[in-house]
Amino acid sequence: MALELSLASASPPAGGGLAQPPPLAPPGKEQQVAGVGILLQISMLVLSFVLGHVLRRHRFYYLPEASASLLIGLVVGGLANISNTETNTRTWFNFHEEFFFLFLLPPIIFQSGFSLSPKPFFANFGAIVTFAILGTFIASVVTGVLVYLGGLTFLMYKLPLVECLMFGALISATDPVTVLSIFQELGSDVNLYALVFGESVLNDAMTISLYRTMSSVRSHAAGGENFFMMILQFLETFVGSMSSGVGVGFISALLFKYAGLDVDNLQNLECCLFVLFPYFSYMLAEGLGLSGIVSILFTGMVMKHYTYSNLSDNSQRFVSAFFHLLSSLAETFVFIYMGFDIAMEEHSWSHVGFIFFSIIFIVVARAANVFSCAYLVNMSRPEHRRIPVKHQKALWFSGLRGAMAFALALQSVHELPEGHGKTIFTTTTAIVVLTVLLIGGSTGTMLESLDVVGDENTSRENYEDNNGYMPPSYEEGTSSGGGLRMKLKQFHKSTTSFTALDKNYLTPFFTSQTDDDNDDDFSQQPQNRRLAFYDQ
């Protein structure tokens, strides 16, 4: 952050227009200002972690950690405005999207893929892909079209169709960190947890690919081939970035398998190399004109599933703690900054109708996403494996907006005309605050009302009996259906085939283990060590 502060003081204003140069500070004054800014940031982080610890210790679910961090930023920014020190404080918190995308988002996204337990993920792989890929596309299009129609009917501020679709793409990024933490503490069905977490992980990749595709379409001249170009650009961005990330992950697995680094005197080198590979994947994708966020996400999934088991025991403990630490610091700082920015930034609050109707539209789009995809998934599953209605409602409720939506909205300020970008950024910020505070604070009540808490042990037995994998069966009890049902069944059968391929060929080839001794336990979800402490 100190580097960013020093760069911010030397860089031109974000708006790009002519601005008066700041007065020259006395010798040593800039270092003092930077030091005070860093001190304030560290103090806010410390206060956020301590407050989060107290809230979790007393099981106060109405104010989750993310909400507490957001409120701390709001309070500090509000006090700065009241005391008329916003100019100096803004120099302390001068925040650039490059810093956000290069230093804050990568550890958050990598940890999402790295902490993904493979057993429940592969058991629900077909459903997760359906919700994350098809569902996100549905939510993006529904939101964008509704916002565009709202502008045509003078219900809200009018934006061009492509910009509405850009807004629909970025606002469809879910970040259910608050919901998942409460899932863990209250104990929820492992399949429900896998669906929510798996969707959020792949949803980020889908969202950023859709946003970049729409942004690229907007920057080119309109033409009849735009639709096909959009499809090709999306496939190029998503598939290319995914292939890049998976390739880097496989290379790292082979390196750690055959390099012989898992000895006592080389553990430092082993850890250093492991930490460098995620950023290598990110920068490789960016250098190829692809999405570094998508690439590092799949690198995290592959490295956890294959590379991680090739490390020594001490290195495994270190890298797990290290990436969890980076992710926690980055995510907490993101929520603090969002709260601070709301109080300090000049927002476009003149279009309140745009914010109000956008909230309604994303609720409708989320419902279209969840319930339509659940219907398709249930068509291909036997009765005992279908997603129950109460789980569908929990999925619909857990669609919080967070770091990814905020980052893309921040980027849209510079890509779109001034009024349009400001309106989208203000709307996204308001939606993030409302969902984090309202939905995050009411998650515990929602889970209890839907009766989806406390049934974790039942699913655990099923996972252990099947070695962690629960492929859907297609025996008795399934109706014949039509061609669509058969295609869906074949898709889910391909998931089972991939599971067998992974266990029989990929795992023995890329790891030094041929058994399941090092498989992650399905209950080993993010922050499980902290949860064990709070359960004492």
Side-chain angles (χ1 to χ4, degrees):
M1 295 179 188
L3 175 61
E4 173 63 19
L5 289 168
S6 62
L7 290 174
S9 61
S11 61
L18 297 177
Q20 295 296 329
L24 295 177
K29 186 66 175 178
E30 291 185 0
Q31 293 184 359
Q32 180 184 2
V33 171
V36 173
I38 294 174
L39 175 63
L40 178 60
Q41 296 173 30
I42 293 175
S43 302
M44 295 169 69
L45 285 170
V46 170
L47 178 60
S48 178
F49 282 116
V50 172
L51 181 59
H53 165 77
V54 173
L55 293 173
R56 291 168 65 89
R57 187 70 173 180
H58 292 84
R59 300 185 181 275
F60 187 78
Y61 301 126
Y62 296 102
L63 187 65
E65 289 179 85
S67 303
S69 302
L70 194 69
L71 290 176
I72 289 174
L74 280 170
V75 171
V76 173
L79 291 177
N81 275 331
I82 294 174
S83 60
N84 294 322
T85 60
E86 61 270 15
T87 302
N88 291 332
T89 310
R90 170 54 62 190
T91 62
W92 300 342
F93 273 82
N94 206 333
F95 194 85
H96 291 269
E97 63 186 60
E98 292 83 4
F99 176 65
F100 195 94
F101 277 101
L102 292 178
F103 296 100
L104 292 182
L105 270 186
I108 296 175
I109 301 300
F110 178 81
Q111 177 64 14
S112 297
F114 190 73
S115 60
L116 187 66
S117 298
K119 292 180 178 180
F121 178 80
F122 285 118
N124 296 276
F125 182 75
I128 290 173
V129 170
T130 302
F131 282 109
I133 305 299
L134 178 61
T136 302
F137 179 79
I138 292 174
S140 301
V141 173
V142 170
T143 303
V145 170
L146 289 178
V147 169
Y148 180 70
L149 293 177
L152 290 180
T153 56
F154 304 102
L155 290 176
M156 54 199 301
Y157 185 65
K158 184 178 179 180
L159 295 176
L161 178 60
V162 176
E163 295 182 9
C164 291
L165 293 175
M166 290 175 63
F167 173 68
L170 70 88
I171 206 62
S172 298
T174 60
D175 185 16
V177 57
T178 301
V179 174
L180 291 174
S181 64
I182 298 177
F183 274 15
Q184 295 164 348
E185 296 188 31
L186 295 180
S188 64
D189 180 74
V190 67
N191 290 296
L192 175 60
Y193 185 97
L195 287 175
V196 175
F197 185 53
E199 182 211 1
S200 68
V201 169
L202 297 182
N203 165 272
D204 288 338
M206 181 68 176
T207 297
I208 196 168
S209 298
L210 280 174
Y211 179 84
R212 288 197 173 190
T213 301
M214 297 300 174
S215 177
S216 178
V217 170
R218 177 187 173 275
S219 62
H220 291 79
E225 71 279 2
N226 263 1
F227 176 77
F228 300 100
M229 290 299 299
M230 181 178 66
I231 299 298
L232 291 177
Q233 289 172 3
F234 169 75
L235 292 176
E236 177 186 359
T237 302
F238 186 83
V239 178
S241 303
M242 180 182 66
S243 302
S244 172
V246 171
V248 171
F250 281 149
I251 291 173
S252 69
L254 293 175
L255 173 65
F256 283 96
K257 179 180 179 179
Y258 294 109
L261 300 176
D262 55 341
V263 293
D264 293 338
N265 59 340
L266 292 179
Q267 286 181 2
N268 185 38
L269 174 62
E270 186 181 30
C271 295
C272 290
L273 288 175
F274 192 94
V275 170
L276 289 175
F277 264 101
Y279 265 105
F280 176 80
S281 171
Y282 184 91
M283 296 303 174
L284 175 63
E286 291 292 329
L288 295 175
L290 303 173
S291 171
I293 296 298
V294 177
S295 179
I296 199 173
L297 168 64
F298 285 96
T299 299
M301 297 170 62
V302 173
M303 291 186 71
K304 180 59 181 290
H305 194 47
Y306 300 107
T307 312
Y308 184 78
S309 61
N310 295 331
L311 301 178
S312 61
D313 292 340
N314 290 334
S315 297
Q316 286 183 356
R317 288 190 291 269
F318 171 80
V319 296
S320 296
F322 177 77
F323 285 115
H324 180 69
L325 170 67
L326 281 183
S327 175
S328 298
L329 285 172
E331 200 160 54
T332 303
F333 182 78
V334 167
F335 280 102
I336 289 176
Y337 172 74
M338 282 193 292
F340 183 88
D341 184 82
I342 293 168
M344 298 290 295
E345 192 73 29
E346 293 183 3
H347 292 278
S348 179
W349 297 111
S350 57
H351 304 295
V352 179
F354 190 92
I355 299 174
F356 175 77
F357 285 105
S358 294
I359 295 174
I360 297 177
F361 293 157
I362 65 170
V363 171
V364 174
R366 179 67 180 172
N369 169 359
V370 171
F371 296 111
S372 62
C373 290
Y375 176 77
L376 292 176
V377 171
N378 287 340
M379 284 180 63
S380 64
R381 287 187 171 188
E383 186 69 29
H384 69 282
R385 284 280 291 147
R386 291 179 180 174
I387 304 174
V389 176
K390 62 181 182 180
H391 286 187
Q392 297 179 33
K393 293 179 180 179
L395 274 168
W396 170 70
F397 190 85
S398 60
L400 280 75
R401 271 62 180 177
M404 181 59 70
F406 178 79
L408 294 176
L410 191 67
Q411 186 174 350
S412 70
V413 175
H414 304 282
E415 293 181 351
L416 301 179
E418 183 176 356
H420 298 179
K422 260 318 189 191
T423 300
I424 289 178
F425 179 64
T426 302
T427 303
T428 304
T429 306
I431 291 173
V432 169
V433 173
L434 289 176
T435 55
V436 170
L437 293 180
L438 297 182
I439 297 180
S442 59
T443 300
T445 305
M446 179 272 298
L447 292 176
E448 293 175 353
S449 63
L450 293 177
D451 194 23
V452 294
V453 296
D455 53 353
E456 187 177 22
N457 293 329
T458 303
S459 298
R460 178 178 307 192
E461 296 175 359
N462 294 331
Y463 272 89
E464 292 176 348
D465 293 342
N466 293 278
N467 194 27
Y469 296 91
M470 294 178 60
S473 59
Y474 308 97
E475 298 174 357
E476 71 279 2
T478 59
S479 57
S480 58
L484 176 61
R485 183 187 299 272
M486 295 304 298
K487 291 181 180 179
L488 291 172
K489 287 183 178 181
Q490 292 174 3
F491 175 74
H492 282 276
K493 284 182 179 179
S494 67
T495 303
T496 309
S497 301
F498 175 77
T499 298
L501 174 67
D502 173 60
K503 294 178 63 178
N504 296 329
Y505 298 100
L506 295 181
T507 297
F509 181 77
F510 288 105
T511 70
S512 55
Q513 301 293 331
T514 57
D515 51 27
D516 298 322
D517 292 340
N518 287 335
D519 282 351
D520 295 333
D521 185 54
F522 78 94
S523 62
Q524 204 170 31
Q525 296 160 347
Q527 302 179 2
N528 61 338
R529 294 182 178 86
R530 296 175 64 187
L531 294 176
F533 171 79
Y534 288 107
D535 289 336
Q536 294 175 357

